[in-house]
């Protein structure tokens, strides 16, 4: 992608951000108390042209599946602020499915899961990775001992690459079951 194209992207407001801003503007517009307290003001021409001064455009990929479609991440002070498609990406050629089109909100979402969590006494609690891996391993081993390996089924992820799929298949075989498939199958 050329520097000119990046500049053009820089001047755009992402579709999702635009919809959010429009919704907020509408909500404020119908609330007279906000109108009288100067909560909002009209954006300047410069702010409309360049709402994220000093931002950089970083080429990245969508991680929701192993296709790896191109994403242009606009980053300001280390924060991903806006997303556009990578029209020059050799695989996706500017296309996205709905998951990739919303990749920025998987990062910025306030409900994003950042750590392993377990529900204890009805409440979600953060646990360490070691606890999570140990806990899942113990449950699998217990199932294997008490109900046999065919009491389990292994579902591969859409994020798996070829090598990960190979190891996952091997893991199921070593566990002792042929119950394995791709999650998209169901
Ligand atoms: S989830 Fe969609 S956008 Fe993301 S890499 Fe896969 S096909 Fe591409």
């Amino acid at each position: 992608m050329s520097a000119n194209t990046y500049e053009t992207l820089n001047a755009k407001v992402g579709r999702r951000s635009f919809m959010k801003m429009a919704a907020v503007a509408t909500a404020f517009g119908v609330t007279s108390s906000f109108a009288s307290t100067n909560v909002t003001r009209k954006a300047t021409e410069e702010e409309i042209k360049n709402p994220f001064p000093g931002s950089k455009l970083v080429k990245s990929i969508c991680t929701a599946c192993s296709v790896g479609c191109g994403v242009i991440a606009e980053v300001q002070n280390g924060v991903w602020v806006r997303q556009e498609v990578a029209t020059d990406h050799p695989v996706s050629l500017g296309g996205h499915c709905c998951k990739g089109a919303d990749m920025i909100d998987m990062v910025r979402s306030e409900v994003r899961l950042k750590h392993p969590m377990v529900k204890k006494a009805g409440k979600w609690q953060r646990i360490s990775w070691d606890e999570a891996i140990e806990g899942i391993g113990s449950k699998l081993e217990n199932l294997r001992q008490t109900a046999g390996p065919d009491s389990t089924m292994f579902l591969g992820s859409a994020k798996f690459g070829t090598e990960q799929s190979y190891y996952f298949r091997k893991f199921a075989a070593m566990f002792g079951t042929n119950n394995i498939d791709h999650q998209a199958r169901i």
Side-chain angles (χ1 to χ4, degrees):
M1 183 175 286
S2 71
N4 282 346
T5 315
Y6 282 147
E7 279 162 20
T8 308
L9 286 172
N10 230 2
K12 286 188 204 162
V13 174
R15 285 176 294 280
R16 193 174 176 87
S17 304
F18 176 79
M19 295 302 284
K20 281 183 181 166
M21 285 194 288
V24 170
T26 305
F28 282 152
V30 297
T31 310
S32 58
S33 60
F34 279 115
S36 61
T37 53
N38 292 328
V39 171
T40 60
R41 63 171 171 77
K42 203 170 174 187
T44 64
E45 296 252 324
E46 185 51 35
E47 285 168 338
I48 292 170
K49 211 169 89 185
N50 184 17
F52 302 110
S55 63
K56 289 188 298 186
L57 295 175
V58 180
K59 285 186 178 184
S60 188
I61 58 166
C62 169
T63 58
C65 89
S66 51
V67 172
C69 295
V71 164
I72 301 291
E74 187 172 349
V75 179
Q76 184 190 44
N77 299 326
V79 177
W80 187 1
V81 291
R82 196 162 52 170
Q83 173 181 338
E84 277 296 341
V85 293
T87 50
D88 64 344
H89 188 274
V91 174
S92 53
L93 301 170
H96 274 155
C97 76
C98 56
K99 289 183 286 183
D102 198 27
M103 186 53 47
I104 186 171
D105 283 328
M106 288 182 74
V107 173
R108 301 194 310 180
S109 170
E110 289 176 9
V111 294
R112 174 187 169 194
L113 189 61
K114 296 176 183 165
H115 320 282
M117 305 283 283
V118 69
K119 206 174 196 179
K120 287 183 186 163
K123 289 201 170 166
W124 287 105
Q125 293 174 22
R126 181 177 172 179
I127 56 171
S128 69
W129 281 103
D130 281 348
E131 276 179 277
I133 291 167
E134 178 62 31
I136 293 166
S138 301
K139 283 190 178 178
L140 275 173
E141 185 55 24
N142 184 261
L143 270 175
R144 193 168 181 274
Q145 298 293 337
T146 56
D150 282 338
S151 63
T152 61
M153 179 163 185
F154 292 80
L155 287 173
S157 164
K159 291 187 178 192
F160 280 4
T162 307
E163 293 78 8
Q164 289 165 309
S165 300
Y166 175 84
Y167 284 121
F168 195 63
R169 177 72 187 90
K170 284 282 181 199
F171 178 69
M174 288 172 72
F175 190 80
T177 184
N178 207 25
N179 295 339
I180 180 167
D181 212 330
H182 185 278
Q183 53 93 3
R185 183 84 68 192
I186 55 171

